[in-house]
Amino acid sequence: MRAIIGLSLLLLLGACTSSQTSAIKPLWGFEGKFALRSPSKNQSAYISWQQFDASYTLRLWGSLGLGTQKIEGNARHITIDDGKQQQVLSATEPTPLLASINIPLGTLASNAEQLLHNCPVGTSKPLSEASLWTVYCDKNKIFSGIMRPSKIRITDGETTLILLIKQWT
């Protein structure tokens, strides 16, 4: 009898733990492609961004899964995992995307909601007050009945990140 009660408690606790983990849903997110252009290198990949209350998760991958990165961050730090090694950076440091071009991902993430949800076509705005990066809203499209950006350029005059958003979640 004790074994049955013990097993039942174990299963009950296990179910509670897994339901708490799966209950965390992103506030918003998007999927699409991005391109990075700099004087020394051009790259493109697919992107999936999930924004949670105080944190975010990005997944970047090239064709056939090559060059995969998982990036998790919050206001204090960013963790980059490429499947071989993990790197932890301050959220204020430039972040190397796909091990090549540094962008201010922490600044982008902390301003993402206001930048991505309020982006009229033809407008530009600084990424932040202290940033040399500028955000250009090139195209909008209706996603699930809501007008959202479908093409955004972020540039510092030398390096440009282009987001082509296929789906908002």
Side-chain angles (χ1 to χ4, degrees):
M1 184 66 164
R2 283 186 194 174
I4 293 173
I5 291 172
L7 183 59
S8 297
L9 283 173
L10 209 67
L11 289 172
L12 183 62
L13 288 174
C16 289
T17 304
S18 65
S19 68
Q20 287 175 351
T21 313
S22 63
I24 300 172
K25 302 265 187 231
L27 298 174
W28 57 266
F30 66 82
E31 294 181 359
K33 292 175 110 178
F34 79 92
L36 280 170
R37 296 183 182 148
S38 76
S40 63
K41 198 165 198 171
N42 294 326
Q43 282 187 295
S44 64
Y46 296 95
I47 183 171
S48 172
W49 181 309
Q50 292 185 324
Q51 183 70 42
F52 299 93
D53 196 25
S55 64
Y56 58 91
T57 300
L58 273 84
R59 285 181 173 44
L60 309 173
W61 65 97
S63 56
L64 302 176
L66 300 174
T68 300
Q69 278 187 335
K70 179 180 179 184
I71 301 171
E72 295 178 309
N74 58 37
R76 291 181 292 159
H77 70 274
I78 297 170
T79 303
I80 303 170
D81 186 345
D82 66 4
K84 296 175 189 165
Q85 65 180 11
Q86 200 173 63
Q87 182 180 10
V88 179
L89 303 169
S90 164
T92 58
E93 290 180 66
T95 307
L97 292 183
L98 297 175
S100 63
I101 300 172
N102 292 323
I103 68 158
L105 187 58
T107 304
L108 176 60
S110 65
N111 295 300
E113 187 149 8
Q114 69 182 38
L115 293 171
L116 299 179
H117 289 89
N118 183 20
C119 198
V121 173
T123 62
S124 66
K125 53 186 115 180
L127 186 56
S128 71
E129 290 180 21
S131 176
L132 298 175
W133 292 76
T134 303
V135 178
Y136 294 91
C137 302
D138 293 334
K139 285 185 183 178
N140 283 347
K141 188 167 126 179
I142 295 176
F143 293 91
S144 301
I146 300 170
M147 186 65 75
R148 295 273 174 89
S150 60
K151 182 179 179 186
I152 298 172
R153 282 180 298 129
I154 304 167
T155 184
D156 68 354
E158 198 170 287
T159 300
T160 301
L161 168 67
I162 300 171
L163 292 171
L164 298 172
I165 300 169
K166 294 193 183 239
Q167 180 174 345
W168 282 89
T169 56

